[in-house]
Amino acid sequence: MELRELRYFLAVANEESISRAAKELFVTQPNLSRQMKKLEEETGRQLFVRGSRKITLTEAGKLLKKRAEEILELYDKAQDELHAPPLTVGGEVRIGGGESRAFALIARAICAVQRNYPNVKFDIYSGDSQAVSEKLDKGLIDFGIFIEPTDLSPYDSLRLPLNDRWGVIMRKDSPLAQKQFITPEDLRGLPVIRSRHSLGKSLVSDWFGEAETEPVATYNLLYNASLLVESGAGYAVSLEGLINTQGGDLRFVPLRPELQSRLDIAWKKYQIFSPAAEVFLSELKKLL
């Protein structure tokens, strides 16, 4: 299985058409069809369902698509690192994490690196802890930012000197918007929107205690959740400062008892860093 075959396969999967993918790849349609047939023979699995209007992926095809994207992403990352000029620090540093005001500290380290090493670029991936851990374990990102509680035993890590406060985002015309803080009993029986990270065994679930109920919706990025709140769909439990609630239709009210989460930046144990990742970590340690 060659990288070229994987790129061809992804083009067909994304275009859902041999003819459109062939035009995108600047190859002939018969040649691309032969390549896809060869790939199915190599894997021993049917990868496509060829319909009259479009091509769809089988379950095996969906799995290969996910793995092909990871393989090519890792290959492109290695290419970037190896093609950096030998006497200069260059390449790309990839950082993943959930939404947090603590990213302001990461941003300061990024700016310091860019001032001193203009050939270093950064790619920022936003996702929940599970998605970030998966990418970190596979080497698709260099660093992950995690909100507690997260098991960091597989990694080396640094504690960021910033805590995030939890609260509830609600419409300003909500009866709860006049309160100075929100208790678990205040939310009992109301439509609550939760981040996926806060479900299960978590600080937020411990805070709810017996008042915890099934959320009406979950989110991994707060912006869409805030639109749900604005439409009247419920109350979003979130970290403070991620959505601007000044002058708009929404209000953030902190929890009582107060609940704060600490944050860590982590990387794989025994990680062999690229020069670009090394200078970023060095700048971050200076700030810490």
Side-chain angles (χ1 to χ4, degrees):
M1 192 180 302
E2 300 177 356
L3 292 176
R4 182 187 62 181
E5 291 176 326
L6 294 180
R7 293 192 191 278
Y8 284 4
F9 168 75
L10 287 179
V12 174
N14 292 330
E15 293 293 336
E16 299 181 333
S17 165
I18 292 285
S19 59
R20 288 196 298 269
K23 291 179 181 179
E24 181 74 19
L25 296 167
F26 300 103
V27 299
T28 65
Q29 184 173 337
N31 180 39
L32 184 56
S33 295
R34 285 194 297 270
Q35 293 286 344
M36 294 303 97
K37 183 66 174 177
K38 177 185 174 185
L39 189 59
E40 288 186 316
E41 291 173 353
E42 288 180 359
T43 59
R45 303 286 294 276
Q46 181 182 351
L47 303 175
F48 304 103
V49 176
R50 295 163 174 82
S52 58
R53 292 181 176 270
K54 69 176 184 178
I55 290 176
T56 57
L57 295 178
T58 63
E59 289 303 314
K62 293 175 183 177
L63 175 60
L64 181 59
K65 182 176 185 291
K66 177 178 174 62
R67 297 306 180 212
E69 288 170 341
E70 293 170 350
I71 290 169
L72 292 173
E73 186 177 352
L74 192 57
Y75 173 79
D76 291 340
K77 182 175 183 291
Q79 287 285 88
D80 289 340
E81 294 171 354
L82 292 173
H83 286 168
L87 298 180
T88 61
V89 177
E92 187 174 66
V93 180
R94 301 186 178 189
I95 304 170
E99 296 174 300
S100 168
R101 290 192 302 172
F103 192 81
L105 185 64
I106 305 299
R108 288 172 57 193
I110 289 174
C111 288
V113 171
Q114 291 179 327
R115 283 194 301 269
N116 298 320
Y117 306 95
N119 291 320
V120 176
K121 309 301 180 185
F122 289 85
D123 179 75
I124 309 302
Y125 167 80
S126 296
D128 56 25
S129 294
Q130 181 177 350
V132 172
S133 292
E134 184 177 338
K135 282 187 172 288
L136 192 59
D137 293 341
K138 294 177 179 177
L140 300 177
I141 57 176
D142 301 295
F143 302 95
I145 303 168
F146 295 96
I147 302 171
E148 71 171 341
T150 301
D151 179 16
L152 297 178
S153 59
Y155 311 113
D156 289 325
S157 63
L158 287 173
R159 171 62 46 85
L160 300 179
L162 296 169
N163 290 349
D164 275 337
R165 185 169 65 159
W166 288 89
V168 179
I169 292 178
M170 63 194 71
R171 290 171 56 102
K172 284 187 176 178
D173 58 6
S174 164
L176 296 183
Q178 306 306 314
K179 298 177 71 68
Q180 296 302 307
F181 52 82
I182 299 296
T183 68
E185 286 300 319
D186 291 330
L187 295 175
R188 187 186 289 273
L190 295 180
V192 173
I193 301 167
R194 296 269 299 272
S195 69
R196 289 203 293 266
H197 175 79
S198 72
L199 299 175
K201 186 178 180 181
S202 70
L203 297 176
V204 175
S205 291
D206 290 343
W207 178 85
F208 268 101
E210 295 181 356
E212 184 175 24
T213 57
E214 188 75 17
V216 296
T218 59
Y219 67 90
N220 68 329
L221 297 177
L222 184 58
Y223 177 72
N224 288 338
S226 72
L227 296 180
L228 283 175
V229 174
E230 197 169 347
S231 71
Y235 297 77
V237 180
S238 77
L239 297 174
E240 184 177 15
L242 303 182
I243 293 293
N244 183 9
T245 57
Q246 301 299 319
D249 295 328
L250 302 178
R251 186 185 177 209
F252 176 89
V253 183
L255 303 183
R256 176 69 61 86
E258 185 176 75
L259 186 64
Q260 295 193 11
S261 285
R262 295 173 295 183
L263 295 106
D264 300 89
I265 184 167
W267 57 93
K268 292 174 67 175
K269 288 183 182 292
Y270 315 113
Q271 173 84 336
I272 299 176
F273 285 125
S274 67
E278 283 185 351
V279 297
F280 166 75
L281 185 57
S282 175
E283 291 294 343
L284 181 60
K285 287 180 177 179
K286 290 177 185 178
L287 289 175
L288 296 180

